[in-house]
Amino acid sequence: MGRDIQQYCANVAASAEAVRLERRRKQLAELEHEIAARLTALDAKQQELRALLDRLEAFERKTSDALVGLYSRMKPEAAAAQLAQIDDDVAAALMLQLKAKISSAILGEMEASRGAALAKKIADMRNVSDGRKP
């Protein structure tokens, strides 16, 4: 009888282990399916963001070109007055895109401290774009 009990326990243990393994396999398969679905959704979102970024960059290029065209046609006094009122980074970026002759005329019309600050910002931006530290 003791042997029967041992045999019974061994059979039950093996059967229980098989059930546990099958349950784990199902859980793993469900998790793999969920991960695959999330990766697919992530890829779709990434493509959507790339398209949005491309549109934004195109808009920025058009806007930048339009602003450069506007400021290049303005009288230096008027351009200087407007650039004096906007953010240093934006003003410097615009000045970098203008022809040197136009930029120098605009800087010449600015208050000396503002013109010097913009000239320094422009030099720093050029250094960064050339790979040098500002």
Side-chain angles (χ1 to χ4, degrees):
M1 183 154 183
R3 199 174 216 353
D4 291 337
I5 293 174
Q6 285 179 338
Q7 186 63 36
Y8 176 78
C9 288
N11 289 342
V12 168
S15 179
E17 183 64 24
V19 169
R20 273 194 297 272
L21 284 175
E22 185 57 30
R23 189 173 355 141
R24 294 248 180 193
R25 280 189 197 110
K26 285 181 182 179
Q27 288 174 337
L28 184 58
E30 289 171 4
L31 288 173
E32 286 174 344
H33 179 70
E34 186 179 329
I35 289 170
R38 286 185 181 189
L39 284 174
T40 300
L42 182 61
D43 285 343
K45 191 56 89 172
Q46 197 172 27
Q47 288 175 357
E48 182 183 325
L49 288 174
R50 267 193 219 113
L52 183 62
L53 185 59
D54 289 344
R55 285 197 325 258
L56 180 60
E57 287 172 351
F59 175 75
E60 284 179 351
R61 280 191 301 275
K62 286 179 187 176
T63 304
S64 178
D65 293 345
L67 282 174
V68 168
L70 269 170
Y71 279 99
S72 66
R73 289 194 255 339
M74 290 176 99
K75 290 184 179 180
E77 311 84 46
Q82 287 195 8
L83 288 173
Q85 301 300 315
I86 63 176
D87 179 71
D88 283 356
D89 290 337
V90 174
L94 278 167
M95 297 286 280
L96 268 173
Q97 294 182 33
L98 293 170
K99 292 181 181 174
K101 182 178 178 181
I102 295 170
S103 291
S104 64
I106 293 171
L107 283 173
E109 293 295 328
M110 285 186 173
E111 182 183 312
S113 62
R114 175 68 173 163
L118 278 180
K120 182 179 180 343
K121 180 65 87 172
I122 290 167
D124 290 347
M125 287 176 145
R126 285 196 191 245
N127 286 339
V128 168
S129 70
D130 292 342
R132 296 179 279 180
K133 291 184 180 177

